[in-house]
Amino acid sequence: MAVRAVRGAVQLERDEAGHMDEQVSELLTAILERNGLTADDLISVWFTATPDLHSDFPAAAARGLGIVDVPLICAQELDIEGAMPRVVRILAHIESDKPKSEIAHVYLGAAAALRKDIAQ
């Protein structure tokens, strides 16, 4: 079993805790499903949020999905002029037999524009 990394992002429509929970849950669920993963395959998950998001911790959505024994951490993205607003990004470290080329990186909605090279 190899250690792999999988990326993902979603742009929120507004900075509200319930909306963040819904969107981040959808993103994390899509990452797991598209890669054939369960919570047991997760090693750790980094969540970042753009500086304009203040309503909640993105990691709270993972806890709400029952991911309770995986180390999670939240951080703030760099405040770069012209960057896409209201974006939550995920970097999950996983155990998987898939080669790197078969890992499905998930960019939902408008966030697909962030990484057209790897968005699936």
Side-chain angles (χ1 to χ4, degrees), residues 21-86:
D21 181 69
E22 175 186 292
Q23 294 296 299
V24 175
S25 293
E26 181 180 340
L27 174 60
L28 190 51
T29 299
I31 287 171
L32 294 174
E33 288 177 355
R34 293 183 194 181
N35 287 288
L37 302 169
T38 68
D40 287 339
D41 299 316
L42 295 171
I43 297 169
S44 63
V45 184
W46 280 80
F47 297 85
T48 65
T50 50
D52 50 3
L53 294 174
H54 308 280
S55 61
D56 203 357
F57 294 99
R63 299 292 184 221
L65 290 173
I67 300 171
V68 296
D69 61 350
V70 175
L72 309 175
I73 192 164
C74 296
Q76 188 176 68
E77 281 288 331
L78 295 173
D79 190 9
I80 304 297
E81 188 173 326
M84 184 180 286
R86 300 177 317 281

Side-chain angles (χ1 to χ4, degrees), residues 102-119:
E102 291 182 18
I103 298 296
H105 304 282
V106 180
Y107 290 78
L108 300 179
L114 295 171
R115 290 300 305 265
K116 292 178 184 177
D117 58 325
I118 64 172

